[in-house]
Structure formats: structure tokens, C-alpha cells
Amino acid sequence: MGFEVVNSKVVRADVSPDRAVLARRGAMLGYSGDVVFRPVHGQGRGVGGAVGAALSRESVPMMATTGSGQVLYGFRGLHVTALDLDGRAPLFVEADRLLAHDADLQTSVQLIASGGVRGALRGAASGQGLFTTQVSGVGAVALLSHGGTFALEVGPGEVVGVDPQAYVGHVGALSVDLRARAGWRDAVGRGSGEAFQLHVTGSGTVYVQASEQKL
Amino acid sequence: MAQLTADGKVLVVDLAGDAVRAVTGSMVAYEGAVEFAGAGMGGGDGFRAALKRKAGGESLSLMECRGTGRVHLALAARHVVVVDLAGETLQVESEALLAVTSGLRLDVRFAGLGGAAAGQGVATTTVSGDGQVAVLSDGPMIALEVAPGEPLVVDPDAFVASSGAVSTTLVSGVSWRSLVGEGSGEPFSMRFDGSGLVLLQPAER
């Protein structure tokens, strides 16, 4: 069962004894019923996860919502996209874009692309850093974006180009490579402003926001 | 023929081997084989336009998107509206322009001292010809009609674009109250006479 979309910036989650929700700390807007909020530390499981999260700076303070009732989540007036993961493919997203997700989903910190220099360049260009968060399992996720997201399907043999600042996340077996298209025009300040692009190939869905502003 | 479609805050451009000009850096995603190249200031409409633009302080940096495929353009989560032009002229704030199809000409028109007083600069951008223009607004766009005998007065900070045969005058609401700090907060307004359409945004720059 997914999150209910209240409006473009707020989602409602049903919390019950068999369904806890993890959310960004401070993102609760209101609730009804008997609900308790408790801080949690670290993205992954155990001490290793906590240390990993701290080292990679992929750590955003989260809280667990337990009990039974309904909770409204929203954050800083940012747009919210509700997704349902079916367990077939994980979601890759920046930790600071995670508004809320089912506590049953596993989150872990991933080294971007693990492709050496190219992966590092991509992280630097998109402002993501070297690490990203992988969310896997079956359940609901709510993502934050500036201006709302739209989904682009990528099929085998297709290339979708995405502005690194507008990239939000992706689901599926996709590879994301940074391509530099900088020429002499860019060096003299007459470029198209699109010198760096992410090239997404494989099969899956990539989420793009309608703005080039990072969170 | 390139086709522009507005979808909320995203402009979808379908390219069939041709090109459109768009604000530098506004691409958020594309599918297919599309190349992006700088198209200079003022869209390369000649040296005179560039000079006028410099003189008027209107800065507009454009890129050319050419190829076959679909390009998604967006800028700072602002709403997008597509205006179809068939030989008409659209006057638009240069910072509200997102993209123009290839059949259109961009130029600079001097608005006189009125523009300077309203904080818009002394020049505005005009788009003329046959094709489509994508215009940005901060919040959903409002279109208001101007008819003979029914002038329209708007806040210059909310003005986005106008089309048709309209003449613009600046209305001053400055009185002794403004001088002593008791003004209404609306010292200048733009008045449109004639017949045409005025596009406004629900926010003041």
C-alpha cells in the first residue's frame, strides 16, 4: 500500500503495528491516532551501516513513526513524488531526497558507479558526491524535488540525456555515465550551458525534476 | 517542424531534424539524437540586435537544440505556456522567454524612459513571425484581454508578455503620501490601450 497523495507537496501514510514508516526528521506536518516518533541513526543496519553513512556523508537524520494512525509528511515546501517499489528493481536516489519510506525497505549506501575516475567525476558534476543511497524491497517511497518530477522510460538501445542538476533518481538496471561535451566555445563562455550531461542507458525509469536547483 | 508542448513546469520539444533556440542551460533531459550549441547573445539575429541589446541592458543567452528526438526544458520550476504566433508580434520580458521555434525573429525594442522607471530596463524583447514561443511565469499564467475603450492596468513586476495592437503607458501613483513613506506600495503601473492580450504572472519580481 503506497502513500496517499494529498497535494503536490504533502503525502499521507497509514501507520499500523505491522507497518512502521521512516521519514526525514522534522517532516511530520500533522497526525491523527496514536502515533510515536522516535529518532533513528544511520542508514544501513548495525554499527557498520552507521559508520558507513557518516563517512560517506549520505546521512540525513531520520525518524521512525510507529503506532497506529495517519501521518502527513512534507518538507520545506518541496514537491513530493510517491513511488511504489515492487521489489524487482531497487531505487537509487540521494539520501537528502528521501522524504519517507516504509520501514520494511532496506537502504544502503553505494559507491557511485564504482567506475573509478568516471564515477567520481559524475558525482562531482551532479553535486551528489561519491555515494548514493540504494532503496530495495517492496514498499512505498516518497521523494523530494524542486518543481516536481517526471518519469522517463528508458528501453534497451535508447539513450536518455539528463542534466546532472535535474537528475533525481532512477529505478531499474540502468547505467548512468557522465559525458563531457565541452568544446572551445565553452572555454570562451559561449557554450550551450549543457557541457555536462548524464547519459542513461539500459532498461528502467529515470526521474527528472523541472528545475536545475539542487535541494 | 519542431513542436512545442507545455506540460505544467516542463516544455516538451519534439524535434524532427530541425532546431529550436532555448535559454542556455534550460535542458533537463532529452531522448534521441540532439546536439546543443551556443547560439550567442540575442540569438544571433545580427550585429545590430546585439548592439541594441547591449545598450538596452537586456541580456539573453540562447542555445540551439538541433536533431531528432524529444527535449525536456525547464527553468527553476517556473510554469510554461506556449504561444502560437502567425505573423503577430509578442512583446515579452527577456527573462520570461524559454524557447522559440526557428521561424521566429527576436529583436529588441526601446520602451523609452517609462521602462527604466518601472525597473524593466529601457528595452524589451519582441518575438515576431510564424511559429511558437514558450514563455515562463512564476506560478500559473493569467491572460487578460484588452479591448478598445477598456484599458488594462497591471503591475510592471507581474507583467510577462503582451500581443496584439496595444500601446503601453506608464501610470504614476506617486503623491506626497509616497514621499513621506505612506504610499500604497504601487508607485508605478503599466496601462495598456488598444486591442490584444496581456499575460501576467501571479508573483511580483
Side-chain angles (χ1 to χ4, degrees):
Chain A
M1 188 175 50
F3 294 128
E4 184 195 338
V5 175
V6 177
N7 62 30
S8 63
K9 294 173 180 177
V10 179
V11 289
R12 181 185 285 130
D14 282 317
V15 179
S16 63
D18 22 308
R19 191 207 191 191
V21 172
L22 283 176
R24 191 170 173 137
R25 214 175 286 172
M28 185 275 287
L29 301 176
Y31 67 91
S32 60
D34 185 14
V35 180
V36 179
F37 301 93
R38 174 174 60 75
V40 290
H41 296 278
Q43 291 276 303
R45 298 276 176 268
V47 176
V51 171
L55 282 179
S56 60
R57 284 187 287 167
E58 273 288 314
S59 126
V60 168
M62 301 290 276
M63 62 180 182
T65 311
T66 51
S68 58
Q70 289 194 317
V71 187
L72 294 169
Y73 294 111
F75 193 70
R76 283 189 192 159
L78 292 163
H79 281 76
V80 180
T81 307
L83 301 179
D84 286 309
L85 297 184
D86 57 9
R88 280 185 294 175
L91 164 75
F92 292 90
V93 69
E94 284 305 284
D96 62 0
R97 289 192 182 272
L98 277 176
L99 172 67
H101 61 85
D102 282 347
D104 291 344
L105 290 169
Q106 291 91 49
T107 57
S108 58
V109 176
Q110 297 279 317
L111 192 61
I112 281 187
S114 54
V117 176
R118 179 162 279 187
L121 276 178
R122 177 196 142 199
S126 58
Q128 289 177 300
L130 279 177
F131 297 88
T132 190
T133 298
Q134 177 183 339
V135 184
S136 47
V138 181
V141 183
L143 297 182
L144 293 170
S145 66
H146 186 248
T149 61
F150 60 97
L152 291 175
E153 300 293 331
V154 187
E158 286 175 8
V159 177
V160 171
V162 182
D163 188 294
Q165 273 88 43
Y167 167 85
V168 172
H170 69 266
V171 177
L174 291 176
S175 82
V176 182
D177 284 326
L178 181 77
R179 293 292 164 89
R181 288 261 177 114
W184 62 271
R185 281 174 171 278
D186 295 282
V188 295
R190 302 297 292 267
S192 62
E194 310 291 2
F196 291 96
Q197 297 169 1
L198 298 177
H199 277 203
V200 185
T201 49
S203 75
T205 310
V206 57
Y207 293 90
V208 182
Q209 69 177 15
S211 165
E212 303 187 331
Q213 184 175 322
K214 300 295 287 180
L215 296 190
Chain B
M1 182 68 193
Q3 184 70 34
L4 308 184
T5 319
D7 180 14
K9 294 165 185 158
V10 182
L11 177 73
V12 179
V13 182
D14 287 302
L15 291 171
D18 50 355
V20 299
R21 284 179 292 165
V23 172
T24 299
S26 59
M27 182 275 283
V28 291
Y30 71 90
E31 299 155 273
V34 183
E35 293 288 329
F36 301 89
M41 307 291 283
D45 273 351
F47 185 65
R48 262 188 81 220
L51 262 186
K52 280 200 281 183
R53 209 170 280 285
K54 262 282 191 286
E58 288 261 297
S59 64
L60 182 63
S61 177
L62 295 175
M63 63 174 179
E64 189 183 65
C65 317
R66 179 179 291 279
T68 309
R70 174 172 279 194
V71 184
H72 301 260
L73 302 174
L75 206 63
R78 284 152 81 190
H79 286 249
V80 186
V81 167
V82 173
V83 180
D84 290 300
L85 291 182
E88 300 116 312
T89 299
L90 185 77
Q91 282 188 57
V92 62
E93 281 292 297
S94 66
E95 63 168 47
L97 201 65
L98 178 62
V100 290
T101 54
S102 54
L104 292 174
R105 255 180 63 82
L106 289 176
D107 203 351
V108 174
R109 181 182 293 170
F110 284 93
L113 282 174
Q120 290 180 290
V122 290
T124 56
T125 300
T126 61
V127 186
S128 52
D130 292 301
Q132 292 180 301
V133 201
V135 181
L136 292 163
S137 79
D138 198 348
M141 191 101 74
I142 307 157
L144 294 173
E145 209 169 321
V146 184
E150 293 175 32
L152 176 71
V153 183
V154 305
D155 189 314
D157 292 329
F159 170 76
V160 172
S162 67
S163 68
V166 290
S167 65
T168 315
T169 45
L170 194 75
V171 184
S172 167
V174 179
S175 65
W176 63 271
R177 282 180 181 278
S178 316
L179 296 177
V180 295
E182 291 289 322
S184 62
E186 306 286 359
F188 295 104
S189 307
M190 282 166 93
R191 179 186 158 126
F192 291 89
D193 289 281
S195 67
L197 206 62
V198 176
L199 299 176
L200 294 180
Q201 64 180 16
E204 301 183 343
R205 279 182 285 270

